[in-house]
Structure formats: C-alpha cells, structure tokens
Amino acid sequence: METTIRRIGQPTVERSGGRDERVSVRFKLNREPDMTWMDLFKLYTQGIRKSFDYRLLVLDSLDALEILAKFREPRRDMFSLIHWLRDLHCTAFLLGELPTDSGSNGSARTAYARHKEEYLADGILHLRLARQGEFGMQRQLRVVKMRGTRHETGYHALVFDNGLRVTRILA
C-alpha cells in the first residue's frame, strides 16, 4: 500500500544540497497488526527526530491525514495530535483546504478549520488567490491568529521574484 508517506519501515533520508537544505524521508509499510496509522506516523516522526534534529515539520495535508489515520472523533483526535506536536518542540505547519473565501450570503469567513480546531493552534495563516483586474490573479496572505504577537489582520500580497516577499496590496 503506497501512501503520501511512501515505504514506511526503515527511513531513507535524501538530502538536496544548497543554501536551504531540504530533507525528504521515505518509509516502507510493514507494521504490527495492532498499530494504527497515527501510531506509525508518530513512531517514525520521533525516530527521524533522533537522527535528524529538524526544527520544522509540515503536514500536507491535514485532510489527507484525517482520512489515512481514520479519525473517529475529529475534534478529540486533532486535540491529541496538536498536543503531541507541541511535545516535539518544533514549529509545525498543518496545511488544510477551505472550500470558499467567504461565509454564506457573502459574509466574511468565521471558521478556518473543518472541525473548529483553530482554537488549538498558536497561529493561523490564510492563503488565497484574489482576482486582480479582469484577467489577473494574486496570491495573498493573512495572519488570522498569532498567539503572543501583535500583528496586522489584513491581507498582504505574496510576490515571487528572486525569492518570496510579502508586501502591501496595491490596487
């Protein structure tokens, strides 16, 4: 069975050189019958931590994780996952998708998670594509929530030229 985390078993670390070194970890699936997918995920994430002291963990996507791990009680399972992630002492990005950019009747969005788990997160970043003129599109970023930090809550443009810049939106 191939999954997003491929070949679960002995981890293989592949490094791509360069200024910001990236590490890709792959596994082979051979598990104990009583282990859940989430148990395996935690076991290997902790195992990798022992051999490679990462500071950033990205889960892409939270929706896929929920399906693979067969969350029976999503709010409780999400609480448990986030509590476990905090114990790793690294920055964790949990990526998820939202269906539309506004609530019903065109009102502003009030929920940034499927099961209202945003109360668990220390920070919430919202990325969207916004129409610019008749034919253009612009990537925009908004800091919805960032615990312990003063921040602007409006959208900013993401510009990709010789790297990534966040700028004010120009009309």
Side-chain angles (χ1 to χ4, degrees):
M1 176 178 157
E2 291 283 313
T3 62
T4 303
I5 294 182
R6 296 183 184 112
R7 299 182 294 183
I8 295 183
Q10 289 300 319
T12 303
V13 177
E14 299 171 4
R15 296 175 189 261
S16 66
R19 221 175 58 186
D20 61 336
E21 183 171 312
R22 295 187 182 134
V23 176
S24 172
V25 181
R26 299 190 175 160
F27 302 99
K28 188 168 189 174
L29 182 63
N30 63 21
R31 63 179 174 159
E32 301 287 324
D34 58 338
M35 288 187 81
T36 66
W37 197 94
M38 189 57 82
D39 292 336
L40 275 172
F41 173 75
K42 289 177 180 180
L43 177 73
Y44 287 109
T45 304
Q46 290 167 330
I48 294 164
R49 186 66 185 259
K50 290 176 185 171
S51 62
F52 180 77
D53 188 25
Y54 55 83
R55 304 271 185 232
L56 178 68
L57 177 67
V58 180
L59 294 177
D60 184 15
S61 81
L62 203 51
D63 300 325
L65 179 68
E66 184 178 341
I67 292 167
L68 290 168
K70 297 179 180 159
F71 284 2
R72 295 197 192 327
E73 298 177 55
R75 286 178 61 98
R76 183 177 301 205
D77 294 334
M78 192 61 60
F79 178 84
S80 174
L81 172 65
I82 290 176
H83 179 73
W84 176 80
L85 287 169
R86 283 198 174 113
D87 288 343
L88 287 177
H89 303 290
C90 69
T91 300
F93 282 97
L94 309 179
L95 306 181
E97 293 186 28
L98 298 172
T100 62
D101 198 33
S102 61
S104 59
N105 303 328
S107 61
R109 176 178 297 287
T110 58
Y112 288 89
R114 286 177 30 156
H115 306 291
K116 305 214 182 291
E117 61 271 8
E118 61 261 278
Y119 72 95
L120 297 169
D122 293 326
I124 298 174
L125 303 176
H126 184 227
L127 180 65
R128 72 178 183 183
L129 278 175
R131 184 168 301 284
Q132 292 292 308
E134 193 173 336
F135 301 106
M137 297 297 283
Q138 181 182 61
R139 289 180 180 92
Q140 296 179 347
L141 177 72
R142 176 177 177 226
V143 178
V144 176
K145 171 185 176 182
M146 194 59 62
R147 244 183 222 137
T149 304
R150 288 182 52 138
H151 59 86
E152 292 184 34
T153 58
Y155 283 96
H156 292 78
L158 290 180
V159 179
F160 295 92
D161 62 12
N162 295 327
L164 169 72
R165 290 185 300 127
V166 179
T167 65
R168 295 207 180 273
I169 296 173
L170 302 174

